[in-house]
Amino acid sequence: MARKLKRQFVLVATSAVFAVLVLVLMLVNRMSYLSLYENSMDTLELISYYGGALPGRIGSSEEEVELPHAARYFSVQYEQESAALTSVMSLGGMGTEELQALSIRALRMPRPRGLLRNGKQHYFFLRREGSDKTLLCFLDVSSDFRELRRTWRDSCLASGAVLFLFGFIMLLLSARAVEPVVRNMESQKRFITNASHELKTPIAVISANAELLEIMHGSSEWTDSILHQVRRLSRLVDDLIVLTRVEEGIKKELSRQSFTAAVRQTAEAFYPVAEQQGKHLSADIADNVTATATERELPELVNILLDNAVKYCDKGGTVRIRLVRRGNWRGSLLTISNDYAEGAEVDCSRFFDRFYREDKSHNCKKEGYGIGLSMAEGIVRMYKGQIRAQWRDKVMYFIVQLPS
């Protein structure tokens, strides 16, 4: 349990940091791109303002502005009447065909500004339309995009290193972080175990005294009630001990057990119980179905589910048992269902909560303390299987998958 809590603590903390790092990386790199975009568009606006070619300086003698001569740009003028493309400012190393292809793509773009890719080259463009001519200005930002990619790569590597370091530190500190929780859980388990063992003696004394009263004075409603409650308390104590043993996660030697035999034996024991309550029990149990389990807890798992199904089945309803083999790699599937017309409003997700009872007042005539299904879930978890409950078409289903 302590190891599982430490893993969950490290996983949750590291996942939170990972999410934050991803968000920060996306924001930082998005802001870098937007900054490049805005600066490039400012340059293109200036280029288009001067007709596609930048002069040396602009402004008065008191306030001169240095134009971006380092910027690699070119511009093309498109004659709308003749559909001719004329180069206003060329870019060294760019062929006429490439220039015309980029110009045609820019003319066809729905927006007057944006980004064009040509192989590994990246260009921002600006289209300024006139009455009879259209000016196309392009800015080569390939080196800027390479820098953005390097920044993204370096930031990802740095974030990965930070995440690894954080996870390592959390791994070292996880034992101390979960220690109070583990200590509290261990105290609760010891209390339940010790209290259960201590209760056995007074329960046995009360039972013996009640039986002695029956021998001396004969049976009465009072002695019958005492013995009935004693039996309930005895079952509760036994269930608490089993539940604690399962939740302690005691290392058990799992081996291949006959799931078919466990289900058949338990079903045979419940046939008379179901008939006595005016209910029907049908079984469809495949031969030679196995499960990786323990010899003691596997029948207990089936017993808990069948007892619950018979107990909550509608009067005159049917309890159905179905066991099939799903293949060597998919394991076995046990489905136990019962007719339950009132299950539409039941929260099936809470069935496996300890001490959960559908009847909030706990005055239900059906005996039980609401820990059986919690025990079943613990057993299935110990077997590394899955269990779930669902209600459909006035039928309650409990489905168990176990590895073979």
Side-chain angles (χ1 to χ4, degrees), residues 183-373:
R183 187 166 56 246
N184 184 42
M185 295 178 63
E186 294 296 332
S187 299
Q188 290 181 2
K189 291 175 183 177
R190 283 195 300 269
F191 171 77
I192 293 175
T193 304
N194 295 336
S196 300
H197 285 292
E198 291 296 328
L199 285 172
K200 282 182 173 292
T201 300
I203 289 174
V205 172
I206 295 172
S207 178
N209 291 338
E211 291 173 356
L212 182 59
L213 286 173
E214 280 192 335
I215 294 174
M216 294 176 60
H217 304 287
S219 177
S220 67
E221 61 176 317
W222 312 113
T223 56
D224 290 343
S225 177
I226 292 172
L227 290 174
H228 175 70
Q229 296 301 328
V230 165
R231 285 191 291 271
R232 289 191 68 200
L233 285 174
S234 297
R235 287 196 298 270
L236 173 61
V237 169
D238 293 338
D239 289 346
L240 287 174
I241 293 175
V242 173
L243 180 62
T244 304
R245 186 177 66 246
V246 170
E247 290 190 344
E248 282 177 351
I250 299 174
K251 296 297 182 181
K252 294 180 178 290
E253 288 295 331
L254 302 181
S255 59
R256 181 166 291 184
Q257 303 291 330
S258 175
F259 208 176
T260 297
V263 175
R264 281 179 177 166
Q265 292 173 5
T266 308
E268 289 174 1
F270 273 90
Y271 275 115
V273 177
E275 290 180 1
Q276 184 180 5
Q277 299 180 17
K279 303 169 185 178
H280 309 285
L281 194 151
S282 66
D284 178 14
I285 304 172
D287 296 325
N288 303 320
V289 179
T290 60
T292 303
T294 55
E295 184 178 0
R296 179 177 178 179
E297 280 79 16
L298 186 59
E300 180 67 22
L301 168 65
V302 183
N303 183 80
I304 292 171
L305 296 177
L306 264 178
D307 177 66
N308 182 82
V310 172
K311 185 186 301 181
Y312 287 95
C313 182
D314 294 336
K315 191 69 174 180
T318 302
V319 176
R320 305 167 190 83
I321 308 169
R322 185 170 184 266
L323 177 68
V324 296
R325 183 174 54 249
R326 306 181 68 201
N328 293 331
W329 64 276
R330 299 180 68 186
S332 54
L333 179 67
L334 171 66
T335 304
I336 296 180
S337 60
N338 61 278
D339 294 333
Y340 190 43
E342 299 178 357
E345 304 299 327
V346 176
D347 185 4
C348 297
S349 64
R350 297 196 58 195
F351 279 175
F352 304 105
D353 293 348
R354 191 188 304 178
F355 298 111
Y356 172 74
R357 293 285 298 276
E358 180 190 345
D359 176 28
K360 301 296 190 298
S361 65
H362 289 250
N363 291 324
C364 182
K365 295 180 179 179
K366 299 179 177 66
E367 294 186 0
Y369 293 94
I371 61 176
L373 293 177

Side-chain angles (χ1 to χ4, degrees), residues 9-29:
F9 174 77
V10 173
L11 180 62
V12 170
T14 307
S15 299
V17 173
F18 174 76
V20 172
L21 286 175
V22 169
L23 181 60
V24 170
L25 283 175
M26 292 177 63
L27 288 175
V28 169
N29 285 276

